[in-house]
Amino acid sequence: MTEMVIDVKDVRYVYPDGFVALDGVNVRVLEGERVAILGSNGAGKSTLLMLIDGLFKPSKGAVQVLGMPTDDENFHEIRSRIGFVFQDPDDQLFCPTLWDDITFGLLNMGLYDDEVVRRTKDALRIVGLEGYEEKAPHHLSVGEKKKATIAIVLAMKPDVLILDEPTANLDPKSRVGLIRLINRLHEGGEITLVVATHDVDFVPMVADRAYVLDKGKVLAEGYLEDVFSNFKVMEETGLEPPTITRLFKLLNRSIGREVIQSLPLTVEQALYEIRQYLVVRSKIVDP
Ligand SMILES: Nc1ncnc2c1ncn2[C@@H]1O[C@H](COP(=O)(O)OP(=O)(O)OP(=O)(O)O)[C@@H](O)[C@H]1O
Ligand SMILES: [Mg+2]
């Protein structure tokens, strides 16, 4: 039976100033799933991720991760098994060198020195930051800082990977690299992925299911095809469907009928649909 990895039950979260950031939120993620948390600025995405990682405790309701309640007793185990790439890399980089920042967590996990060195080198290579070992993290560019925090988390080999706005400040090549990396990690093992973002073109590349947050509540949830074709929900949250989905919706509308019935979410899906359409059409015109 597939294990429930994340179970957020009827959660309310109130910040110390009295602001209710989440209310009545339910989120369930099974082992090996790829789930996106969608929502515009201030929707509550980062707050939800903080609760999942055990950094915040719910004001009401309960959060269970990897079968454990996110209480003080399980704090260290949860944090060592969940790799959380924060939205703001400056919250995650605090050592004098990048090497120290990556090895810090690994040494805390009690790993042997040679394993620490091996994992740190591997992580730096994977994110393309080889040669930056001795650099002060605060001297890295914003995109490099993001890659550095991804390296920190990868080196820990987590069961669950949580990414908060991972594409922010990444150039196109790094963005494609991140997509490939996430998919490689996912295909290669049991990793469960939760990604919070408003980058709707990125979501179909790395997720299958989504929760749409709006003003601290879950407005919609489901498979991406259903969530993104719900234009009412998209409009209400101030999000848009992926660019390619919008293009096909406009195409159908401008022609006055559904030329392509299942709206594609990615360029690859669009190409497939167009080819199918052309094949069918050529058979009708030229039997
Ligand atoms: N420490 C805090 N004290 C009070 N209110 C806060 C605090 N941190 C966040 N908030 C508020 O909680 C709400 C949710 O914030 P959160 O950072 O979770 O949003 P988000 O969906 O991640 O937004 P973004 O897309 O901008 O990252 C916001 O309205 C924010 O102003
Ligand atoms: Mg956020």
Side-chain angles (χ1 to χ4, degrees):
M1 201 178 76
T2 315
E3 195 190 330
M4 172 108 64
V5 170
I6 296 169
D7 190 7
V8 175
K9 272 189 257 180
D10 194 22
V11 159
R12 179 179 170 92
Y13 184 76
V14 186
Y15 276 106
D17 68 356
F19 185 83
V20 181
L22 295 175
D23 198 17
V25 168
N26 289 286
V27 171
R28 294 168 144 218
V29 180
L30 298 178
E31 184 178 9
E33 271 202 296
R34 309 186 306 164
V35 173
I37 310 293
L38 293 171
S40 48
N41 293 139
K45 303 181 295 297
S46 297
T47 309
L48 174 62
L49 299 187
M50 293 291 200
L51 282 149
I52 292 172
D53 199 34
L55 293 167
F56 291 174
K57 303 283 179 292
S59 314
K60 190 187 147 238
V63 180
Q64 279 222 350
V65 177
L66 296 157
M68 296 171 274
T70 55
D71 55 21
D72 292 343
E73 202 182 313
N74 300 317
F75 182 76
H76 289 295
E77 180 167 359
I78 287 176
R79 295 237 55 218
S80 69
R81 292 178 62 191
I82 291 191
F84 185 6
V85 176
F86 291 171
Q87 181 165 11
D88 183 352
D90 287 331
D91 290 341
Q92 214 155 3
L93 299 163
F94 48 84
C95 290
T97 67
L98 178 55
W99 181 269
D100 293 343
D101 256 325
I102 300 177
T103 55
F104 179 82
L106 302 179
L107 292 167
N108 269 348
M109 285 164 72
L111 298 175
Y112 290 115
D113 285 355
D114 52 351
E115 175 72 2
V116 170
V117 169
R118 199 175 54 76
R119 285 200 193 187
T120 305
K121 284 186 173 168
D122 277 355
L124 285 166
R125 182 180 43 75
I126 289 169
V127 300
L129 285 181
E130 277 167 317
Y132 287 67
E133 292 80 1
E134 294 310 315
K135 198 143 177 157
H138 62 274
H139 286 158
L140 295 172
S141 77
V142 184
E144 288 167 350
K145 282 184 185 174
K146 198 82 193 179
K147 292 180 192 176
T149 55
I150 293 169
I152 291 174
V153 162
L154 285 183
M156 292 171 66
K157 296 191 188 295
D159 296 329
V160 183
L161 184 59
I162 297 184
L163 302 161
D164 197 352
E165 295 294 350
T167 55
N169 299 306
L170 290 190
D171 59 35
K173 187 164 167 245
S174 307
R175 182 186 156 95
V176 170
L178 179 66
I179 292 167
R180 288 207 184 113
L181 171 63
I182 291 173
N183 288 323
R184 215 167 53 227
L185 288 172
H186 189 257
E187 281 156 18
E190 296 293 88
I191 205 157
T192 305
L193 178 78
V194 178
V195 53
T197 187
H198 33 69
D199 182 347
V200 291
D201 289 319
F202 171 68
V203 170
M205 314 282 192
V206 294
D208 306 299
R209 207 157 66 77
Y211 286 85
V212 180
L213 274 186
D214 187 56
K215 299 184 197 73
K217 291 184 187 294
V218 175
L219 201 64
E221 62 176 279
Y223 288 102
L224 296 187
E225 293 76 11
D226 301 323
V227 168
F228 281 135
S229 54
N230 191 337
F231 291 90
K232 192 167 161 276
V233 163
M234 290 292 109
E235 209 175 302
E236 254 180 88
T237 47
L239 292 173
E240 287 190 318
T243 315
I244 204 82
T245 315
R246 281 171 35 226
L247 172 68
F248 275 75
K249 188 179 178 234
L250 289 174
L251 176 71
N252 282 343
R253 195 188 286 164
S254 70
I255 292 178
R257 64 191 168 86
E258 289 198 345
V259 181
I260 307 286
Q261 277 164 17
S262 56
L263 290 175
L265 303 176
T266 64
V267 172
E268 290 72 22
Q269 286 173 11
L271 181 65
Y272 175 81
E273 294 293 345
I274 291 170
R275 288 178 69 111
Q276 289 294 100
Y277 173 74
L278 291 175
V279 167
V280 170
R281 196 159 176 265
S282 71
K283 279 186 188 147
I284 293 167
V285 175
D286 184 18

